[in-house]
Amino acid sequence: MSGIASTLDSFFEGGLPVRLSAYDGSVAGDQDSPYGLRLVNQRGLAYILTAPGDLGLARAYVSGDLELEGTHPGDPYPILRLIVGKTDFKRPAVTELVGIARTLGLGSFNPPKPPPQEHLPGWRHRVEHARDLIGWGRHSQRRDADAIHHHYDVSNTFYEYVLGPSMTYTCAVFPTEDATLEEAQANKYDLICRKLDLKAGQRLLDLGCGWGGMVRHAAKHYGVKALGVTLSEQQALWAQEEIKRQGLDDLAEVRFSDYRNVAEGDFDAVSSIGLTEHIGVGNYPSYFGFIRSKLKDQGRLLNHCITRDNSRGRNSAGAFIDRYVFPDGELTGSGTIVTAVENAGLEVQHHENFRMHYAKTLTGWNRNLVENWDACVAEVGLGTAKVWGLYMAGSRVGFETNQIQLHHVLATKTVGGVGGYPLRHDFGV
């Protein structure tokens, strides 16, 4: 091995499809590529070596020890499109280990402290049993609140820059290829209202309501009395102020609360837009059972959720997502969700995939981050802004390559064979 870059490049199956340069002056990979990775120092090398794959690269990048060349940190999509799925280390031969250690230095195999943006999982292994006894188990109310706080209570101002006026952090539905992000978000809410067949005077429960977009849309455009709940205090405060600003106090309400604490029942409809990813696959039976208990007979559920392309394998969203974006998040195939909904006693009426709509949504969010980059960095810091750019661009690749999808599952509380569903739906279009 002639240098750090060549040694690192040899760890990746087939080598990296971009240029790789290192602080010792060595260069490897595709040196004709317009995109590159530049390793700045030994700490970055140690991050990569001690957490091989996406997590180590992300740690080095977020900490400033690995730089991306040829792309903006607010939208690293061009380089991620090339390297996503190609960053797993191959196992070196035993005969190579001495040369590798000599080239990279034994100190490079000593794991540095992770960047401050990382949600550390170490305590899970040390005190999981003890916390189970006091209400801190995986997906307990206290732990879910901690996970939601990590991601959603970053800064409302930051989210205003990235999400735009809709303040909607879920997949939009684009009515046309050239529709704006705002038009697509409004269209998404309206589509859900039509799928739920909302009418004036009815009652809607929106679980994981975020900044209240669905609640406000249903109240404003359909005359529905809507209650939304979120585990993010900052989201709830923002939503409450916006409800007042729009004069919707008589119809719309957003609470800072765990959905499990909603005491009211007899709702005409329940919407769950982007919450199922957070509750854990093992909790699907109780979650959809809870929803059924809150619905009137013939009431409707619309579940909007990121899914995998199949239900095989592990449910974890991956090390980077778990540590930096959605702690404890879990994804599975849409079939698992459909099964859980049916097993809870709800009748599935319609099932739809919006995979490419999410790719377009993420493109818009990355564009907003780039356009407001300096303000975003000033608001949350460079490391956190880089995490969001990386997460959104990487997720876009995932949707484009069909590693992940976005599904709507529409179901009714059918009782005695009566579901209140028409012979054929058209959703008003």
Side-chain angles (χ1 to χ4, degrees), residues 94-143:
V94 174
T95 54
E96 297 177 307
L97 294 177
V98 173
I100 289 171
R102 184 181 299 116
T103 300
L104 302 182
L106 291 176
S108 299
F109 293 88
N110 184 32
K113 182 179 179 181
Q117 291 80 13
E118 185 165 320
H119 187 273
L120 295 176
W123 58 268
R124 299 178 186 175
H125 307 292
R126 293 193 299 272
V127 299
E128 190 74 44
H129 178 66
R131 284 189 167 174
D132 278 344
L133 299 177
I134 58 172
W136 264 90
R138 188 174 178 85
H139 295 296
S140 66
Q141 292 195 26
R142 291 174 64 183
R143 183 154 153 181

Side-chain angles (χ1 to χ4, degrees), residues 398-427:
F399 284 106
E400 288 180 345
T401 56
N402 196 29
Q403 297 175 53
I404 44 179
Q405 303 173 346
L406 188 289
H407 280 87
H408 277 190
V409 175
L410 176 64
T412 55
K413 183 177 179 179
T414 300
V415 179
V418 180
Y421 203 77
L423 287 175
R424 186 72 178 86
H425 52 251
D426 62 14
F427 306 134

